[in-house]
Amino acid sequence: MSHSNPFESPERAFETTQRSLDPSPPAEASEELRVHRPRRAAPADAVRPTRAEINLGNLRHNLRVIERAVGRVAAAPGRAAAGPEVWGVLKADAYGHGASAVARTLERAGVSGLCVALLEEGLELRAAGITLPIVVMGGYYGPQQRGLEEVLEAGLVPVLYHREQVERLAQLTRDRRERPTPFHLKVDTGMGRLGVRGADLDALFDQIVATPEVELVGLMSHLACADAPDPEPTFAQLRLFEQAKAALARRGVVPRFYHVANSAAALALPTSRYGAVRAGIALYGVSPFASREPYPVEAARSAAAELRPVMRVQSEIVALREIPNGEAIGYGHTWRANGARTIATMPIGYADGLWRALSNRGSVLVRGKRAPIAGVVSMDLTAVDVTDIAGASLGDEVVVLGAQDGPLGSDQITADEIAAIVGTIPWEIVTNISRRVPRFFREP
Ligand SMILES: *Cc1c(COP(=O)(O)O)cnc(C)c1O
């Protein structure tokens, strides 16, 4: 028998699955990494017509929008680069967009550095061949700081904020390096989660000055309210940051980078930009400013308006039925036909990141026009009322996030719109698209 039926040969089926889910396991790295790489569906696995399209052209466009907004000028023959560096924030699998492909695209587009939250996220990027500086912002290296060894081996730059971490880094450096190890120090100026706080700053600064094995290359902080219309809490944080900067300077330490700005601050507040900004959500084409309360800084609003969404999530109509008046749809019978209706079923549900809170409230796009979700979003399937979508047919594309042009018009469903309906922020909308949905990378 030449053609193989995987069900007849369990081993073979397993092999095939392993290979197709993990198309390029890093040969040397995979034995050493104690962190398993999360398995994500790859385009080759896609049988179901549900997918996320990642538009890498839009990603590059958004990088340029941010660079322009912060006054970054790239180096050119005879001219050095000027203005703040833009660092791409790629934590959480690049906000659900696929970290390696996003990193590769940004690297080629000339981004100066990348930031991740976790050590394992940094390792994933190194395994993908990314050579840019990568800052591990989360500052968690395990209860005994063992992860710092891996940070060093992978050439990542750690963020530290307490004395034992500095000691540990110095000790590792003595054991295995000839040059001081670069690191960033995080100062808590008002987020209240991580970072050295005012009262402990002097002692930590003294320790750093007295530890020649480590080199402070960046002083950083994180802003709590930069996306809100009132800038005062942000200015208060920046004042505390300036005090920390001055306390360092009094000891003769001037790190290469000061960085505090996230997307919102980078676009809106020039005094937050320093030598580098850490852009996350704006890179992915989502405005950091909620559209419901217009942000007061005009320049920031217009930069945000130029951003183009990078992720688009789509599925297809796989079933169509005529429902008579009074009949119900879905779990709990929460939707009931008011007159004769046409119902389309699409194979996407809350396990894919389509929020169950969109039940009977959200809409999707079919043939370029909005159609309401009918009944509850279930784990794998969602029903849509397409009675008003003339010509809706089996196989029609259904867009749940992003834009669609069709015979009936053009429209888009933004992460901001979904966030408003389900009561969250657009960051959670994009990171919530689950790994069951394969990412297809588009190079326009
Ligand atoms: C996530 C994160 C950012 C990026 O924030 P956006 O609002 O998505 O631009 C910047 N800095 C730190 C420390 C972060 O954790």
Side-chain angles (χ1 to χ4, degrees):
M1 255 316 266
S2 61
H3 78 258
S4 62
N5 176 350
F7 296 105
E8 285 166 4
S9 162
E11 292 90 329
R12 201 193 144 83
F14 179 71
E15 262 173 45
T16 312
T17 309
Q18 287 294 88
R19 219 171 330 110
S20 62
L21 287 186
D22 192 4
S24 56
E28 355 60 280
S30 59
E31 319 229 335
E32 285 169 18
L33 297 189
R34 55 189 171 69
V35 182
H36 290 290
R37 292 208 292 147
R39 300 275 179 237
R40 299 187 193 95
D45 302 320
V47 172
R48 182 174 71 136
T50 297
R51 51 160 78 178
E53 259 185 28
I54 307 300
N55 187 318
L56 299 172
N58 285 358
L59 178 67
R60 281 190 296 270
H61 166 87
N62 297 332
L63 174 64
R64 301 293 172 237
V65 169
I66 300 165
E67 286 175 339
R68 222 178 306 127
V70 304
R72 174 70 177 174
V73 181
R79 187 191 67 198
E85 293 190 355
V86 176
W87 296 347
V89 179
L90 271 61
K91 59 194 180 187
D93 197 25
Y95 290 36
H97 292 66
S100 335
V102 166
R104 255 179 242 123
T105 304
L106 294 177
E107 190 167 51
R108 286 193 205 119
V111 92
S112 313
L114 302 177
C115 305
V116 293
L118 312 183
L119 166 59
E120 34 292 41
E121 293 169 344
L123 295 177
E124 181 187 356
L125 294 182
R126 284 288 181 250
I130 302 300
T131 59
L132 284 171
I134 300 175
V135 179
V136 181
M137 300 186 299
Y140 186 73
Y141 310 102
Q144 269 90 43
Q145 314 290 346
R146 291 235 173 83
L148 282 173
E149 289 179 54
E150 280 166 276
V151 164
L152 283 188
E153 277 160 27
L156 306 170
V157 187
V159 169
L160 308 181
Y161 46 84
H162 67 72
R163 134 161 244 114
E164 294 93 89
Q165 293 176 317
V166 175
E167 271 167 25
R168 174 86 180 133
L169 194 64
Q171 183 207 341
L172 287 171
T173 305
R174 273 193 294 279
D175 294 348
R176 62 182 74 197
R177 285 170 63 103
E178 275 153 19
R179 279 182 296 140
T181 302
F183 76 102
H184 295 240
L185 183 76
K186 183 163 189 176
V187 184
D188 180 5
T189 57
M191 181 72 98
R193 308 179 309 185
L194 282 186
V196 54
R197 293 171 67 84
D200 305 322
L201 266 181
D202 283 316
L204 194 61
F205 286 169
D206 288 339
Q207 181 200 4
I208 289 167
V209 171
T211 311
E213 294 88 346
V214 298
E215 183 194 357
L216 180 64
V217 293
L219 185 72
M220 69 177 286
S221 192
H222 193 34
L223 300 171
C225 306
D227 54 336
D230 176 10
E232 198 37 53
T234 304
F235 291 149
Q237 284 197 260
L238 292 173
R239 285 192 291 272
L240 285 178
F241 189 72
E242 280 295 321
Q243 286 174 19
K245 194 178 153 212
L248 257 188
R250 280 198 296 279
R251 291 166 171 84
V253 180
V254 180
R256 200 162 144 227
F257 290 106
Y258 301 99
H259 52 109
V260 294
N262 53 9
S263 297
L267 297 182
L269 303 171
T271 56
S272 74
R273 289 173 193 153
Y274 294 99
V277 301
R278 306 184 304 261
I281 197 75
L283 266 183
Y284 306 105
V286 177
S287 168
F289 311 115
S291 58
R292 294 167 296 292
E293 31 178 338
Y295 193 79
V297 181
E298 154 61 23
R301 273 206 316 274
S302 63
E306 283 182 63
L307 300 170
R308 297 182 190 149
V310 175
M311 187 192 287
R312 180 174 186 272
V313 180
Q314 63 183 68
S315 189
E316 259 179 39
I317 297 179
V318 295
L320 265 179
R321 60 234 309 110
E322 302 301 329
I323 299 286
N325 182 33
E327 201 171 300
I329 296 285
Y331 286 116
H333 281 183
T334 62
W335 182 96
R336 205 169 281 282
N338 180 9
R341 311 300 292 175
T342 308
I343 293 294
T345 306
M346 54 178 184
I348 181 171
Y350 60 76
D352 300 297
L354 184 67
W355 293 70
R356 193 168 175 282
L358 292 174
S359 302
N360 292 313
R361 297 169 71 200
S363 18
V364 302
L365 304 176
V366 182
R367 293 172 66 77
K369 192 174 169 196
R370 269 164 195 266
I373 290 176
V376 298
V377 172
S378 49
M379 191 184 289
D380 315 299
L381 295 169
T382 302
V384 175
D385 182 351
V386 293
T387 313
D388 297 333
I389 309 291
S393 330
L394 283 179
D396 277 356
E397 176 191 88
V398 183
V399 169
V400 305
L401 172 67
Q404 190 188 53
D405 287 325
L408 303 181
S410 311
D411 204 343
Q412 66 169 330
I413 293 177
T414 63
D416 197 51
E417 171 187 339
I418 298 174
I421 298 176
V422 309
T424 184
I425 54 175
W427 287 255
E428 198 178 2
I429 302 302
V430 286
T431 55
N432 200 50
I433 299 301
S434 81
R435 65 190 200 201
R436 190 166 90 156
V437 178
R439 272 60 172 173
F440 284 70
F441 297 97
R442 239 184 67 191
E443 269 299 352

